[in-house]
Amino acid sequence: GEALSRAVWDVLARQGLERLTVRAVAAAAGCTTGLVMHRFPNRRALLLHARQLLHEATRQRVEGLEAGAESPRAALHAVLRQGMAISPETVNESIVWVGFLAAAVADDELIAIHRRNNRSWRARVERLVAAAAPQWPAERVATVALALIAMTEGMAALAAADPVAYPAQQQERMLDETLAAYGLNRS
């Protein structure tokens, strides 16, 4: 199972959505297409699996970052930072996320999964913003959380497509400047 999961992820991240096929996954895993089809009967099943892997990997990482942060503002910074395309791992995740979103537009089940995961992410960021700025009214918390999500996810999508134009240091500075503009810097 683990080797097939890794193969699905690698094909999607390295070759893109258009090349995610049972045959490509079999080649990446070094096995037969029959073995892949036993677990994933079609391309859509591969895509659903990749999206679930992304959700789980992100959830585990943000829970660890949140638990290890020394303050609510440090937690907000760490959780938002991990969502940008600043390492080979997060660049791959951004590519997978963009590919899934592109496929989800025309698929009711995929878009439902996207919306559920996105709403969970939004609730987490709102909770972190509220903890970082307890004096703010709920409406301001919700608006700032959305702005932070739009900035970090937009940056991740841009960097996934053109990492040279959006280097990690630039993304880090953008996050710091944006949090400072809202008065949410770590210090």
Side-chain angles (χ1 to χ4, degrees):
E2 186 67 34
L4 279 184
S5 288
R6 200 164 37 253
V8 170
W9 187 264
D10 287 348
V11 170
L12 198 48
R14 295 203 173 102
Q15 299 178 45
L17 181 65
E18 297 308 310
R19 295 201 179 89
L20 180 67
T21 62
V22 169
R23 180 173 285 142
V25 170
C31 69
T32 65
T33 55
L35 190 65
V36 175
M37 289 187 78
H38 184 69
R39 174 111 189 267
F40 304 108
N42 54 43
R43 186 170 178 271
R44 193 160 177 271
L46 293 170
L47 196 58
L48 281 168
H49 183 67
R51 183 62 182 94
Q52 194 52 39
L53 289 175
L54 177 59
H55 179 69
E56 277 308 304
T58 304
R59 187 185 59 74
Q60 287 176 12
R61 188 168 59 230
V62 298
E63 285 175 1
L65 289 168
E66 203 176 321
E70 76 251 7
S71 71
R73 289 183 177 191
L76 177 65
H77 179 274
V79 166
L80 290 170
R81 181 182 174 276
Q82 69 76 43
M84 296 192 303
I86 55 174
S87 69
E89 180 188 22
T90 55
V91 168
N92 280 350
E93 289 175 355
S94 297
I95 293 167
V96 169
W97 186 84
V98 169
F100 181 86
L101 187 57
V105 170
D107 185 308
D108 290 342
E109 186 186 1
L110 296 182
I111 202 71
I113 290 166
H114 172 75
R115 287 176 179 156
R116 187 174 65 243
N117 289 336
N118 196 259
R119 286 176 185 148
S120 163
W121 175 242
R122 186 172 168 181
R124 180 183 298 273
V125 175
E126 283 183 12
R127 181 174 48 72
L128 291 168
V129 170
Q135 73 281 14
W136 286 1
E139 189 178 335
R140 176 140 205 248
V141 166
T143 301
V144 170
L146 275 179
L148 293 171
I149 288 167
M151 190 282 288
T152 53
E153 289 189 0
M155 178 50 56
L158 291 168
D162 190 357
V164 173
Y166 302 96
Q169 305 88 321
Q170 180 87 42
Q171 293 180 63
E172 300 263 14
R173 285 195 302 274
M174 272 188 62
L175 178 59
D176 290 340
E177 290 286 342
T178 303
L179 287 170
Y182 288 115
L184 294 171
N185 14 353
R186 285 173 283 180
S187 49

